[in-house]
Amino acid sequence: MLIAAIVMIATGGSVADWPQYLGPNRNSISDQKGILRSWPENGPEVLWTVSLGKGFGGPVVKDGKVYLLDRDDKVGDNLRCFDLSNGKELWNFAYDAPGRVMFPGSRSVPIVEGNNVYSCGHNGDLYCIDINTHKPVWNKNVWKDFGGGRIPIWAITQCPLIYGDLLIIASQAPEAGVVAYNKLTGNVVWKTSNLGNETYVSPAVVKIDGKDHVVMVTSSTNRIGHPELANALGNVVGIEPLTGNILWKYDKWHCHISVPSAVDAGDNKVLVVGGYELGAVMIKVEKKADGSYGATELFTTVEFGDQTKPPILHNGYFYAQYGTNSRHDGLACMSMDGKIMWKTGRSPDFNKGSMILADGLILATDGRKTLYLIEPDPSGFKPLASSELLNEGGTSSDDPLASKVGGTTQNWGPLALADGKLLVRDQSQLKCVKVAQ
């Protein structure tokens, strides 16, 4: 506990903060204690609600302030700041970035560090905004600056990563795969070559022999909208975070729409999941006699995966929502060696929702209307409470394909948890819910 406290002080963080995608340690786990183990009959208390534009971008929290990248497809992106205590909008910074893709709206999650908040928009606009002056410190375009033409079919979907003095993000453009900027100036420090096919995955950090590796996942060929493309498998790549040097690569990933970040499974193992074709692969990374690294496939399975979020690892077991256009496996639990412990299927159905582990419990949306409180247990699904909190409001009939495959709800935005308050969005509102004592 003392070591954890020192680390939090050194990084300027607080157990009351949720400063980036997937939380303080980018693994969907919170240090929050005192999570309520039961809810009133009418559900947990909703402290405040604010209106949002349509989309999937999730919030972050730092020092009692909530930051969220909102969007109006006719105008552009809008970084908004709210008071965590009452939902009052304190300031916003908007910029022109028009355009519309299937499943319209916001995509990414900002990151807050020091005096700056960083966000990457729908069209690849990367902004560093001073949280005191509310003005840009610098801005780049991660797509156009590196030779990108027409944006990917589902737009740029990047959640920035801060590593020391660097802001690391995937460009995926012809002239760059992953790019590291100086976080204070926006100057490019390093960039990799293009790493493969389009992807919707944000970078992650895993420990290999006690050292940090940035892990990036690219998709296998997505021929939707590009029938001319030749089929090629995707890659899982380990990168040295300070130099951008490629340390290792696994080149047999078969998922043509990759979204979840890689998961540090411990003991030099990396779990990668997806929602299509190949559900999951476990990779073992080892240093060779010559000092280089190699990646070995331990197992693959089509019985476990997650279309939009990385699984939660708890006490040696993984928990994920495995729903795709063709599968409805619901919430699923898998052991470290790939054994499927259980699935909820459609009873209840979980599909593209978001989850946070806190105080030994999972808070989960089901991708539709319902928030669940769950006790994670490899022996079976153990719900403690549930409440219908969210509204319908997915893609309208003017986008029939998206409505058909995505349903009428599409409440897939990531959650945030800070100071006992859970932030959860649907397609028109952000709600703050009391979930701790």
Side-chain angles (χ1 to χ4, degrees):
M1 290 181 65
L2 176 61
I3 293 172
I6 292 172
V7 170
M8 295 303 288
I9 293 170
T11 58
S14 162
V15 294
D17 289 336
W18 191 269
Q20 65 174 326
Y21 176 55
L22 306 177
N25 298 307
R26 220 170 168 92
N27 60 0
S28 302
I29 298 176
S30 168
D31 290 331
Q32 176 76 56
K33 301 299 181 184
I35 296 293
L36 298 169
R37 299 187 66 86
S38 63
W39 295 340
E41 185 176 347
N42 59 348
E45 181 183 0
V46 176
L47 300 175
W48 51 260
T49 302
V50 297
S51 296
L52 297 179
K54 189 181 292 293
F56 312 95
V60 293
V61 183
K62 182 76 183 298
D63 297 332
K65 295 180 175 63
V66 179
Y67 302 87
L68 181 139
L69 186 64
D70 206 354
R71 179 166 176 80
D72 181 331
D73 281 337
K74 294 180 181 179
V75 180
D77 297 320
N78 186 11
L79 182 67
R80 303 172 68 184
C81 176
F82 306 96
D83 189 322
L84 178 62
S85 66
N86 56 26
K88 178 183 178 182
E89 185 160 357
L90 302 175
W91 59 269
N92 75 298
F93 175 80
Y95 55 89
D96 293 341
R100 189 181 190 276
V101 297
M102 190 189 306
F103 300 107
S106 61
R107 256 87 177 126
S108 64
V109 180
I111 184 168
V112 193
E113 192 201 56
N115 291 323
N116 297 323
V117 55
Y118 304 82
S119 67
C120 185
H122 177 280
N123 296 345
D125 296 294
L126 177 62
Y127 272 87
C128 168
I129 306 296
D130 187 306
I131 61 176
N132 297 311
T133 66
H134 318 150
K135 295 180 179 180
V137 178
W138 57 264
N139 69 282
K140 306 288 182 179
N141 189 288
V142 303
W143 179 248
K144 295 177 182 178
D145 291 351
F146 301 103
R150 185 177 67 176
I151 63 172
I153 189 170
W154 290 292
I156 304 298
T157 310
Q158 282 295 304
C159 304
L161 166 70
I162 296 283
Y163 188 89
D165 293 330
L166 303 177
L167 182 143
I168 300 174
I169 197 165
S171 168
Q172 331 167 39
E175 300 167 10
V178 175
V179 181
Y181 299 89
N182 180 292
K183 67 183 181 183
L184 298 181
T185 67
N187 295 331
V188 174
V189 177
W190 58 256
K191 65 183 179 73
T192 71
S193 60
N194 182 278
L195 298 177
N197 296 305
E198 72 180 40
T199 191
Y200 304 90
V201 179
S202 297
V205 176
V206 304
K207 290 284 187 184
I208 304 296
D209 292 334
K211 297 183 177 180
D212 291 335
H213 290 196
V214 171
V215 178
M216 189 61 203
V217 181
T218 60
S219 308
S220 54
T221 301
N222 177 13
R223 301 184 71 189
I224 300 174
H226 298 280
E228 77 283 359
L229 294 179
N231 286 324
L233 293 176
N235 300 309
V236 183
V237 177
I239 303 169
E240 206 289 317
L242 295 181
T243 65
N245 293 333
I246 304 298
L247 300 175
W248 53 267
K249 181 169 76 171
Y250 169 82
D251 60 4
K252 297 180 176 61
W253 176 235
H254 188 198
C255 176
H256 72 271
I257 309 172
S258 251
V259 181
S261 302
V263 177
D264 188 340
D267 192 28
N268 286 13
K269 293 185 289 187
V270 180
L271 179 70
V272 177
V273 302
Y276 300 96
E277 283 74 51
L278 180 63
V281 61
M282 182 74 83
I283 302 164
K284 177 83 170 185
V285 180
E286 295 179 294
K287 183 175 280 191
K288 302 176 184 178
D290 63 2
S292 65
Y293 290 90
T296 303
E297 179 186 297
L298 297 182
F299 68 81
T300 63
T301 178
V302 297
E303 297 301 322
F304 184 86
D306 197 304
Q307 190 167 337
T308 60
K309 316 292 188 314
I312 289 176
L313 174 58
H314 178 60
N315 290 341
Y317 293 89
F318 300 97
Y319 298 84
Q321 298 193 23
Y322 196 22
T324 71
N325 299 343
S326 58
R327 297 187 73 112
H328 291 271
D329 289 6
L331 186 63
C333 176
M334 183 182 75
S335 70
M336 190 64 69
D337 60 1
K339 180 181 178 182
I340 306 303
M341 308 306 295
W342 50 263
K343 300 177 183 180
T344 64
R346 294 177 183 263
S347 301
D349 193 4
F350 289 83
N351 190 339
K352 306 180 191 71
S354 182
M355 302 192 295
I356 289 175
L357 177 73
D359 202 15
L361 299 171
I362 289 176
L363 293 156
T365 55
D366 63 357
R368 294 176 177 81
K369 297 182 179 182
T370 304
L371 175 69
Y372 283 85
L373 179 67
I374 302 163
E375 181 179 345
D377 191 323
S379 69
F381 176 59
K382 294 187 176 180
L384 302 181
S386 65
S387 177
E388 192 171 290
L389 283 178
L390 304 176
N391 300 315
E392 288 193 355
T395 301
S396 62
S397 58
D398 63 345
D399 200 339
L401 178 58
S403 295
K404 179 180 178 182
V405 300
T408 59
T409 314
Q410 300 173 19
N411 293 327
W412 307 334
L415 303 168
L417 176 61
D419 195 26
K421 302 176 178 70
L422 185 72
L423 296 167
V424 54
R425 69 162 298 167
D426 56 28
Q427 287 288 331
S428 62
Q429 296 178 327
L430 174 68
K431 294 186 176 183
C432 179
V433 183
K434 182 179 179 181
V435 295
Q437 297 173 350

